[in-house]
Coordinates of all heavy atoms in Angstrom, one line a residue:
M525 N 228.6 6.8 170.0 CA 229.8 7.6 169.5 C 229.4 9.0 169.4 O 228.3 9.3 168.8 CB 230.2 7.0 168.2 CG 231.3 7.8 167.6 SD 231.9 7.0 166.0 CE 233.1 8.1 165.5
E526 N 230.2 9.9 169.8 CA 230.0 11.3 169.7 C 230.5 11.8 168.3 O 231.7 11.5 168.0 CB 230.6 12.1 170.8 CG 230.3 13.6 170.8 CD 230.8 14.3 172.0 OE1 230.7 13.8 173.1 OE2 231.4 15.4 171.8
Y527 N 229.8 12.5 167.6 CA 230.2 13.0 166.3 C 230.9 14.3 166.4 O 230.5 15.2 167.1 CB 229.0 13.0 165.3 CG 228.4 11.6 165.1 CD1 227.2 11.3 165.7 CD2 229.1 10.7 164.3 CE1 226.7 10.0 165.5 CE2 228.6 9.4 164.1 CZ 227.4 9.1 164.7 OH 226.9 7.9 164.6
N528 N 231.9 14.5 165.6 CA 232.6 15.7 165.5 C 232.3 16.5 164.3 O 232.7 16.2 163.2 CB 234.1 15.4 165.6 CG 235.0 16.7 165.5 OD1 234.5 17.8 165.9 ND2 236.2 16.6 165.1
Y529 N 231.4 17.5 164.4 CA 231.0 18.3 163.3 C 232.0 19.5 163.2 O 232.1 20.3 164.1 CB 229.6 18.8 163.4 CG 228.6 17.7 163.4 CD1 228.0 17.3 164.6 CD2 228.3 17.0 162.2 CE1 227.1 16.2 164.5 CE2 227.4 16.0 162.2 CZ 226.8 15.6 163.4 OH 225.9 14.5 163.3
T530 N 232.7 19.5 162.1 CA 233.8 20.5 161.9 C 233.3 21.9 161.6 O 232.2 22.1 161.2 CB 234.8 20.0 160.8 OG1 234.1 20.0 159.6 CG2 235.3 18.6 161.1
E531 N 234.2 22.8 161.7 CA 233.9 24.2 161.4 C 233.6 24.3 159.9 O 232.8 25.1 159.5 CB 235.1 25.2 161.7 CG 234.8 26.6 161.5 CD 233.5 27.1 162.2 OE1 233.2 26.7 163.3 OE2 232.8 28.0 161.6
E532 N 234.3 23.5 159.1 CA 234.0 23.5 157.6 C 232.6 23.1 157.4 O 231.9 23.6 156.5 CB 235.0 22.5 156.9 CG 234.6 22.2 155.5 CD 234.7 23.5 154.6 OE1 235.3 24.5 154.9 OE2 234.0 23.4 153.5
M533 N 232.1 22.1 158.1 CA 230.7 21.7 157.9 C 229.7 22.8 158.3 O 228.8 23.1 157.6 CB 230.4 20.5 158.8 CG 231.1 19.2 158.4 SD 230.7 17.9 159.7 CE 231.9 16.7 159.2
R534 N 230.0 23.5 159.4 CA 229.2 24.6 159.8 C 229.2 25.7 158.8 O 228.2 26.4 158.5 CB 229.6 25.1 161.2 CG 229.3 24.1 162.3 CD 229.8 24.7 163.7 NE 229.8 23.7 164.7 CZ 230.9 23.0 165.0 NH1 232.0 23.2 164.4 NH2 230.8 22.1 165.9
R535 N 230.4 26.0 158.3 CA 230.6 27.0 157.3 C 229.8 26.7 156.0 O 229.1 27.6 155.5 CB 232.1 27.2 156.9 CG 232.4 28.4 156.2 CD 233.9 28.7 156.0 NE 234.8 27.5 156.1 CZ 235.6 27.3 157.2 NH1 235.6 28.0 158.3 NH2 236.4 26.2 157.2
R536 N 229.8 25.5 155.6 CA 229.0 25.1 154.4 C 227.5 25.4 154.7 O 226.8 25.9 153.8 CB 229.1 23.6 154.1 CG 230.4 23.3 153.5 CD 230.6 21.8 153.3 NE 231.9 21.4 152.7 CZ 232.1 21.3 151.4 NH1 231.1 21.4 150.6 NH2 233.3 20.9 151.0
L537 N 227.0 25.0 155.9 CA 225.6 25.2 156.2 C 225.2 26.7 156.3 O 224.1 27.1 155.9 CB 225.2 24.4 157.5 CG 225.3 22.9 157.3 CD1 224.9 22.2 158.6 CD2 224.3 22.4 156.2
R538 N 226.1 27.5 156.9 CA 225.9 28.9 157.0 C 225.8 29.5 155.6 O 224.9 30.4 155.3 CB 226.9 29.6 157.8 CG 226.7 29.4 159.3 CD 227.6 30.4 160.1 NE 229.0 30.0 160.1 CZ 229.6 29.1 160.9 NH1 228.9 28.5 161.8 NH2 230.9 28.9 160.8
R539 N 226.6 29.0 154.7 CA 226.6 29.5 153.3 C 225.3 29.1 152.6 O 224.6 29.9 151.9 CB 227.8 28.9 152.5 CG 228.1 29.6 151.2 CD 229.3 29.1 150.5 NE 230.4 28.9 151.4 CZ 231.2 27.7 151.5 NH1 230.9 26.7 150.8 NH2 232.2 27.6 152.4
L540 N 224.8 27.9 152.9 CA 223.6 27.4 152.4 C 222.4 28.3 152.9 O 221.5 28.7 152.2 CB 223.4 26.0 152.8 CG 222.7 25.0 151.8 CD1 223.1 23.6 152.1 CD2 221.3 25.2 151.7
E541 N 222.5 28.6 154.2 CA 221.5 29.4 154.8 C 221.4 30.8 154.1 O 220.3 31.3 153.8 CB 221.8 29.6 156.3 CG 220.8 30.5 157.1 CD 221.3 30.6 158.5 OE1 222.5 30.7 158.8 OE2 220.4 30.7 159.4
G542 N 222.6 31.4 153.8 CA 222.6 32.6 153.1 C 222.0 32.5 151.7 O 221.3 33.4 151.2
Q543 N 222.3 31.4 151.0 CA 221.7 31.2 149.7 C 220.2 31.1 149.8 O 219.5 31.7 148.9 CB 222.2 29.9 149.1 CG 223.7 30.0 148.6 CD 224.2 28.7 148.0 OE1 224.1 27.7 148.7 NE2 224.7 28.8 146.8
V544 N 219.6 30.5 150.8 CA 218.2 30.4 150.9 C 217.6 31.8 151.2 O 216.6 32.2 150.6 CB 217.8 29.4 152.0 CG1 216.3 29.5 152.4 CG2 218.1 28.0 151.7
R545 N 218.3 32.6 152.0 CA 217.8 33.9 152.3 C 217.8 34.7 150.9 O 216.9 35.6 150.7 CB 218.6 34.6 153.3 CG 218.3 34.2 154.7 CD 218.9 35.2 155.8 NE 220.3 35.3 155.7 CZ 221.2 34.5 156.3 NH1 220.7 33.6 157.2 NH2 222.5 34.7 156.2
G546 N 218.8 34.5 150.1 CA 218.9 35.1 148.8 C 217.8 34.8 147.9 O 217.2 35.6 147.2
V547 N 217.3 33.5 147.9 CA 216.2 33.1 147.1 C 214.9 33.8 147.6 O 214.1 34.3 146.8 CB 216.0 31.6 147.2 CG1 214.7 31.1 146.6 CG2 217.2 30.8 146.5
L548 N 214.8 33.9 148.9 CA 213.6 34.6 149.5 C 213.6 36.1 149.1 O 212.6 36.6 148.7 CB 213.6 34.5 151.0 CG 213.2 33.1 151.5 CD1 213.5 33.0 153.0 CD2 211.8 32.7 151.2
R549 N 214.8 36.7 149.1 CA 214.9 38.1 148.7 C 214.5 38.2 147.2 O 213.8 39.2 146.9 CB 216.3 38.6 148.9 CG 216.5 40.0 148.7 CD 217.8 40.6 149.2 NE 219.0 39.7 148.8 CZ 219.7 39.0 149.6 NH1 219.4 38.9 150.9 NH2 220.7 38.2 149.2
L550 N 215.0 37.3 146.4 CA 214.6 37.4 144.9 C 213.0 37.3 144.8 O 212.5 38.0 144.0 CB 215.2 36.2 144.2 CG 216.7 36.3 143.9 CD1 217.2 35.0 143.3 CD2 217.1 37.5 143.1
M551 N 212.4 36.4 145.6 CA 211.0 36.3 145.5 C 210.3 37.5 146.0 O 209.3 38.0 145.4 CB 210.5 35.1 146.3 CG 211.0 33.7 145.8 SD 210.7 32.4 146.9 CE 209.0 32.0 146.3
E552 N 210.8 38.1 147.1 CA 210.2 39.4 147.6 C 210.3 40.5 146.6 O 209.5 41.4 146.6 CB 210.8 39.7 149.0 CG 210.5 38.8 150.1 CD 211.4 38.9 151.3 OE1 212.3 39.7 151.3 OE2 211.1 38.2 152.3
E553 N 211.4 40.5 145.8 CA 211.7 41.5 144.9 C 210.9 41.3 143.6 O 211.0 42.1 142.6 CB 213.2 41.7 144.6 CG 213.9 42.2 145.8 CD 215.5 42.1 145.6 OE1 215.9 41.6 144.5 OE2 216.2 42.5 146.5
G554 N 210.2 40.1 143.5 CA 209.4 39.8 142.3 C 210.3 39.4 141.1 O 209.9 39.6 140.0
K555 N 211.4 38.9 141.3 CA 212.3 38.5 140.2 C 211.7 37.3 139.5 O 210.8 36.7 139.9 CB 213.7 38.1 140.8 CG 214.4 39.1 141.5 CD 214.8 40.3 140.5 CE 215.6 41.3 141.3 NZ 216.0 42.4 140.5
S556 N 212.3 37.1 138.3 CA 211.7 36.0 137.4 C 211.8 34.6 138.0 O 212.7 34.3 138.8 CB 212.4 36.1 136.0 OG 213.7 35.6 136.1
C557 N 210.9 33.8 137.5 CA 210.9 32.4 137.9 C 212.3 31.8 137.5 O 212.8 31.0 138.3 CB 209.8 31.7 137.1 SG 209.8 29.9 137.3
K558 N 212.8 32.2 136.4 CA 214.1 31.6 136.0 C 215.2 32.0 137.0 O 216.1 31.1 137.3 CB 214.5 32.2 134.6 CG 215.8 31.7 134.0 CD 216.1 32.3 132.7 CE 217.5 31.9 132.2 NZ 217.8 32.5 130.9
D559 N 215.2 33.2 137.5 CA 216.2 33.6 138.5 C 216.1 32.8 139.8 O 217.0 32.4 140.4 CB 216.1 35.1 138.8 CG 216.6 35.9 137.6 OD1 217.3 35.4 136.7 OD2 216.2 37.1 137.5
V560 N 214.8 32.7 140.2 CA 214.5 32.0 141.5 C 214.9 30.5 141.4 O 215.6 29.9 142.2 CB 213.0 32.1 141.9 CG1 212.7 31.2 143.0 CG2 212.7 33.6 142.2
V561 N 214.5 29.9 140.3 CA 214.8 28.4 140.1 C 216.3 28.2 139.9 O 216.9 27.3 140.5 CB 214.1 27.9 138.9 CG1 214.6 26.5 138.5 CG2 212.6 27.8 139.1
S562 N 217.0 29.1 139.3 CA 218.5 29.1 139.1 C 219.1 29.1 140.5 O 220.0 28.3 140.8 CB 219.0 30.2 138.3 OG 220.4 30.2 138.2
Q563 N 218.7 30.0 141.4 CA 219.3 30.1 142.7 C 218.9 28.8 143.6 O 219.7 28.4 144.4 CB 218.8 31.4 143.4 CG 219.5 32.6 142.9 CD 221.0 32.4 142.9 OE1 221.6 32.2 143.9 NE2 221.7 32.6 141.8
L564 N 217.7 28.4 143.4 CA 217.3 27.1 144.1 C 218.1 25.9 143.7 O 218.4 25.1 144.5 CB 215.8 26.8 143.9 CG 214.8 27.7 144.7 CD1 213.4 27.4 144.3 CD2 215.0 27.4 146.2
S565 N 218.4 25.9 142.4 CA 219.3 24.8 141.9 C 220.7 24.9 142.6 O 221.3 23.9 143.0 CB 219.5 24.9 140.4 OG 218.3 24.6 139.8
A566 N 221.2 26.1 142.8 CA 222.5 26.3 143.5 C 222.3 25.9 145.0 O 223.3 25.3 145.5 CB 222.9 27.8 143.4
V567 N 221.2 26.1 145.6 CA 221.0 25.7 147.0 C 221.0 24.2 147.0 O 221.6 23.6 147.9 CB 219.6 26.3 147.5 CG1 219.2 25.6 148.8 CG2 219.7 27.8 147.7
R568 N 220.3 23.5 146.1 CA 220.2 22.1 146.1 C 221.6 21.5 145.9 O 222.0 20.5 146.6 CB 219.3 21.6 145.0 CG 219.2 20.1 144.9 CD 218.2 19.5 144.0 NE 218.2 20.2 142.7 CZ 217.2 20.1 141.8 NH1 216.1 19.5 142.1 NH2 217.3 20.7 140.7
N569 N 222.4 22.1 145.0 CA 223.8 21.6 144.8 C 224.6 21.8 146.0 O 225.4 20.8 146.4 CB 224.4 22.4 143.6 CG 225.7 21.8 143.2 OD1 225.9 20.6 143.2 ND2 226.6 22.7 142.8
A570 N 224.5 22.9 146.7 CA 225.3 23.1 147.9 C 224.8 22.2 149.0 O 225.7 21.7 149.8 CB 225.1 24.6 148.4
S571 N 223.5 21.9 149.1 CA 223.0 20.9 150.1 C 223.6 19.5 149.8 O 224.0 18.8 150.7 CB 221.5 20.9 150.0 OG 221.0 20.0 150.9
D572 N 223.6 19.1 148.5 CA 224.1 17.8 148.2 C 225.6 17.7 148.6 O 226.0 16.7 149.1 CB 223.9 17.5 146.7 CG 222.5 17.3 146.3 OD1 221.7 17.0 147.2 OD2 222.2 17.3 145.1
K573 N 226.3 18.7 148.3 CA 227.7 18.7 148.7 C 227.9 18.7 150.2 O 228.8 18.0 150.7 CB 228.5 19.9 148.1 CG 228.7 19.8 146.6 CD 229.4 21.0 146.0 CE 229.6 20.8 144.5 NZ 230.3 22.0 143.9
A574 N 227.1 19.4 150.9 CA 227.2 19.4 152.4 C 226.9 18.0 152.9 O 227.6 17.5 153.8 CB 226.2 20.5 153.0
I575 N 225.9 17.4 152.4 CA 225.5 16.0 152.8 C 226.7 15.1 152.6 O 227.1 14.3 153.4 CB 224.2 15.5 152.1 CG1 223.0 16.3 152.6 CG2 224.1 14.0 152.3 CD1 221.8 16.1 151.8
A576 N 227.2 15.1 151.4 CA 228.4 14.3 151.0 C 229.6 14.5 151.9 O 230.2 13.6 152.4 CB 228.8 14.5 149.5
H577 N 229.8 15.8 152.2 CA 231.0 16.1 153.1 C 230.8 15.6 154.5 O 231.7 15.0 155.1 CB 231.2 17.6 153.1 CG 232.3 18.1 153.9 ND1 233.6 18.0 153.4 CD2 232.4 18.6 155.1 CE1 234.4 18.4 154.3 NE2 233.7 18.8 155.4
I578 N 229.6 15.7 155.0 CA 229.3 15.3 156.4 C 229.3 13.8 156.4 O 229.9 13.2 157.4 CB 227.9 15.8 156.8 CG1 228.0 17.3 157.1 CG2 227.4 15.1 158.1 CD1 226.7 18.0 157.3
V579 N 228.8 13.1 155.5 CA 228.8 11.6 155.5 C 230.2 11.1 155.3 O 230.6 10.2 156.1 CB 227.9 11.0 154.3 CG1 228.1 9.5 154.2 CG2 226.4 11.3 154.6
A580 N 231.0 11.7 154.5 CA 232.4 11.3 154.3 C 233.2 11.5 155.5 O 234.0 10.6 155.9 CB 233.0 12.0 153.1
E581 N 233.1 12.6 156.2 CA 233.8 12.9 157.4 C 233.4 11.9 158.5 O 234.2 11.4 159.2 CB 233.6 14.4 157.9 CG 234.3 15.4 157.0 CD 235.8 15.4 157.3 OE1 236.2 15.2 158.4 OE2 236.5 15.6 156.3
N582 N 232.1 11.7 158.6 CA 231.6 10.8 159.6 C 232.1 9.4 159.4 O 232.5 8.7 160.3 CB 230.1 10.8 159.7 CG 229.5 9.8 160.6 OD1 229.1 8.7 160.2 ND2 229.5 10.1 161.9
L583 N 232.1 8.9 158.1 CA 232.6 7.6 157.8 C 234.1 7.5 158.2 O 234.5 6.5 158.7 CB 232.4 7.3 156.3 CG 232.9 6.0 155.8 CD1 232.3 4.8 156.5 CD2 232.7 5.9 154.3
Q584 N 234.8 8.5 157.8 CA 236.3 8.5 158.2 C 236.5 8.4 159.7 O 237.3 7.6 160.2 CB 236.9 9.8 157.6 CG 238.4 9.8 157.9 CD 239.1 11.0 157.3 OE1 238.4 11.9 156.8 NE2 240.4 11.1 157.4
Q585 N 235.7 9.2 160.5 CA 235.8 9.1 161.9 C 235.4 7.7 162.4 O 236.1 7.2 163.3 CB 234.9 10.1 162.6 CG 235.3 11.6 162.4 CD 234.3 12.6 162.9 OE1 233.4 12.2 163.7 NE2 234.3 13.8 162.4
C586 N 234.4 7.1 161.9 CA 234.0 5.8 162.3 C 235.0 4.7 162.0 O 235.3 3.8 162.8 CB 232.6 5.4 161.7 SG 231.2 6.4 162.4
L587 N 235.5 4.8 160.8 CA 236.5 3.8 160.4 C 237.8 3.9 161.2 O 238.4 2.9 161.6 CB 236.9 4.1 158.9 CG 235.8 3.7 157.9 CD1 236.3 4.1 156.5 CD2 235.5 2.2 157.9
M588 N 238.2 5.1 161.5 CA 239.4 5.3 162.4 C 239.1 4.8 163.8 O 240.0 4.1 164.4 CB 239.8 6.8 162.4 CG 240.4 7.2 161.1 SD 240.9 9.0 160.9 CE 240.9 9.7 162.5
A589 N 237.9 5.0 164.3 CA 237.6 4.5 165.6 C 237.6 2.9 165.6 O 238.1 2.3 166.6 CB 236.2 5.0 166.1
E590 N 237.0 2.3 164.6 CA 237.0 0.9 164.5 C 238.4 0.3 164.3 O 238.7 -0.7 164.9 CB 236.1 0.4 163.3 CG 234.7 0.6 163.6 CD 234.1 -0.1 164.8 OE1 234.4 -1.3 164.9 OE2 233.5 0.5 165.6
Q591 N 239.3 1.0 163.6 CA 240.6 0.5 163.4 C 241.4 0.6 164.8 O 242.2 -0.3 165.1 CB 241.4 1.3 162.4 CG 240.9 1.0 161.0 CD 241.6 1.9 159.9 OE1 242.1 2.9 160.2 NE2 241.6 1.4 158.7
A592 N 241.1 1.6 165.5 CA 241.7 1.8 166.8 C 241.3 0.6 167.8 O 242.1 0.2 168.6 CB 241.4 3.1 167.5
K593 N 240.1 0.2 167.6 CA 239.6 -1.0 168.4 C 240.1 -2.3 167.9 O 239.9 -3.3 168.5 CB 238.1 -1.0 168.5 CG 237.5 0.1 169.3 CD 236.0 -0.1 169.6 CE 235.2 0.2 168.4 NZ 233.7 0.1 168.7
G594 N 240.7 -2.3 166.7 CA 241.2 -3.5 166.1 C 240.1 -4.3 165.2 O 240.4 -5.4 164.8
T595 N 239.0 -3.6 165.0 CA 238.0 -4.2 164.1 C 238.4 -4.1 162.7 O 238.8 -3.1 162.2 CB 236.6 -3.5 164.4 OG1 236.3 -3.5 165.7 CG2 235.5 -4.2 163.6
Q596 N 238.3 -5.3 162.0 CA 238.7 -5.3 160.6 C 237.5 -5.2 159.6 O 237.7 -4.7 158.5 CB 239.5 -6.6 160.3 CG 240.8 -6.7 161.1 CD 241.7 -5.6 160.8 OE1 241.9 -5.2 159.6 NE2 242.4 -5.1 161.8
D597 N 236.3 -5.6 160.1 CA 235.2 -5.6 159.2 C 234.5 -4.2 159.2 O 233.6 -4.0 160.1 CB 234.2 -6.7 159.6 CG 233.0 -6.8 158.7 OD1 233.1 -6.4 157.5 OD2 232.0 -7.3 159.1
T598 N 234.8 -3.4 158.3 CA 234.2 -2.1 158.2 C 233.2 -2.0 157.0 O 232.7 -0.9 156.8 CB 235.3 -1.0 158.1 OG1 236.1 -1.3 157.0 CG2 236.1 -0.9 159.4
G599 N 233.0 -3.1 156.4 CA 232.1 -3.0 155.2 C 230.7 -2.6 155.5 O 230.1 -1.9 154.7
K600 N 230.2 -2.9 156.7 CA 228.9 -2.5 157.1 C 228.8 -1.0 157.2 O 227.8 -0.4 156.7 CB 228.5 -3.1 158.4 CG 227.1 -2.8 158.9 CD 226.7 -3.4 160.2 CE 225.4 -3.0 160.7 NZ 225.0 -3.4 162.0
M601 N 229.8 -0.4 157.7 CA 229.8 1.1 157.9 C 229.8 1.8 156.5 O 229.1 2.8 156.3 CB 231.1 1.6 158.6 CG 230.9 1.5 160.1 SD 232.4 2.2 160.8 CE 232.8 0.9 161.9
V602 N 230.6 1.2 155.6 CA 230.7 1.8 154.2 C 229.3 1.7 153.6 O 228.8 2.6 152.9 CB 231.8 1.1 153.4 CG1 231.8 1.6 152.0 CG2 233.2 1.4 154.0
H603 N 228.7 0.5 153.7 CA 227.4 0.3 153.2 C 226.4 1.3 153.7 O 225.6 1.9 153.0 CB 226.9 -1.2 153.4 CG 225.6 -1.5 152.9 ND1 225.3 -1.6 151.6 CD2 224.4 -1.6 153.5 CE1 224.0 -1.9 151.4 NE2 223.4 -1.9 152.6
E604 N 226.4 1.5 155.0 CA 225.5 2.5 155.7 C 225.7 3.9 155.1 O 224.8 4.6 154.9 CB 225.6 2.4 157.2 CG 225.0 1.1 157.8 CD 225.3 1.1 159.3 OE1 226.0 1.9 159.8 OE2 224.8 0.1 159.9
A605 N 227.0 4.2 154.9 CA 227.3 5.6 154.4 C 226.7 5.7 153.0 O 226.1 6.8 152.7 CB 228.8 5.8 154.4
V606 N 226.9 4.7 152.2 CA 226.4 4.8 150.8 C 224.9 4.9 150.8 O 224.3 5.6 150.1 CB 226.9 3.5 150.0 CG1 226.1 3.5 148.7 CG2 228.4 3.6 149.8
E607 N 224.2 4.1 151.7 CA 222.8 4.2 151.8 C 222.3 5.6 152.2 O 221.3 6.1 151.7 CB 222.3 3.2 152.9 CG 222.3 1.7 152.4 CD 221.4 1.5 151.3 OE1 220.2 1.9 151.3 OE2 221.8 0.8 150.3
L608 N 223.0 6.2 153.1 CA 222.7 7.6 153.5 C 222.7 8.5 152.3 O 221.9 9.4 152.1 CB 223.6 8.1 154.6 CG 223.3 7.8 156.0 CD1 224.4 8.3 157.0 CD2 222.0 8.5 156.4
L609 N 223.8 8.4 151.5 CA 223.9 9.2 150.3 C 222.8 9.0 149.3 O 222.2 9.9 148.8 CB 225.3 9.0 149.7 CG 226.5 9.6 150.5 CD1 227.8 9.1 149.8 CD2 226.4 11.1 150.6
V610 N 222.5 7.7 149.1 CA 221.4 7.4 148.2 C 220.1 7.9 148.7 O 219.3 8.5 147.9 CB 221.4 5.8 147.9 CG1 220.1 5.4 147.2 CG2 222.7 5.4 147.2
K611 N 219.8 7.7 150.0 CA 218.6 8.2 150.5 C 218.4 9.7 150.5 O 217.3 10.2 150.3 CB 218.5 7.7 152.0 CG 217.1 7.9 152.6 CD 217.1 7.6 154.1 CE 217.2 6.1 154.3 NZ 217.0 5.7 155.7
S612 N 219.5 10.4 150.6 CA 219.5 11.9 150.6 C 219.1 12.4 149.2 O 218.7 13.6 149.1 CB 220.8 12.4 151.0 OG 221.8 12.3 150.0
R613 N 219.2 11.6 148.2 CA 218.8 12.1 146.9 C 217.5 11.7 146.5 O 216.7 11.9 145.8 CB 219.8 11.4 145.9 CG 220.4 12.3 144.8 CD 220.5 13.7 145.1 NE 220.2 14.4 143.8 CZ 219.7 15.6 143.7 NH1 219.5 16.3 144.7 NH2 219.5 16.1 142.5

C-alpha cells in the first residue's frame, strides 16, 4: 500500500525542524540550561503530536481501504496502530 503523507504532516515536521534549529541557536548563544531544556520539551511535545497525527491518518487510510475491499476485521490494524504509538514513547 502506498501511503499518502499530507501537507499538514510535512508542515508539522518543518515546524519541528525549525524548533530544533532554535534549540541549537540557544546553545550557540550560551543560553541557560533551563531555556534549552524548555525548548527541547516543546520539540518532544511537537514530535509526539506529529507521530500521533501520522499514525491516525495512516490508520484511517488503511481502514478505508479495507472497507472498500469488504474486509470487516480491522482489529489487527487498530492494534498495530496502538503498538506504534506505545513504541514511539
Side-chain angles (χ1 to χ4, degrees):
M525 176 178 180
E526 186 174 316
Y527 297 104
N528 180 23
Y529 297 105
T530 65
E531 184 56 35
E532 171 62 22
M533 292 174 192
R534 290 182 195 93
R535 197 173 17 258
R536 285 174 182 270
L537 293 178
R538 282 193 288 274
R539 196 173 316 128
L540 218 158
E541 180 182 33
Q543 287 178 306
V544 170
R545 280 196 303 269
V547 171
L548 289 169
R549 188 171 42 254
L550 289 175
M551 294 172 86
E552 290 166 358
E553 294 171 356
K555 299 293 182 180
S556 73
C557 173
K558 181 180 176 182
D559 291 339
V560 171
V561 170
S562 175
Q563 286 305 305
L564 281 173
S565 293
V567 168
R568 180 172 48 197
N569 187 38
S571 175
D572 288 344
K573 287 181 179 182
I575 289 168
H577 183 79
I578 289 169
V579 170
E581 286 288 325
N582 177 260
L583 177 59
Q584 183 178 6
Q585 291 173 21
C586 290
L587 289 174
M588 289 177 13
E590 288 300 309
Q591 286 176 342
K593 289 193 287 188
T595 305
Q596 298 298 319
D597 184 23
T598 54
K600 181 180 177 187
M601 279 185 226
V602 172
H603 179 73
E604 288 174 357
V606 170
E607 286 294 317
L608 272 174
L609 289 173
V610 170
K611 188 185 289 189
S612 72
R613 224 26 218 152

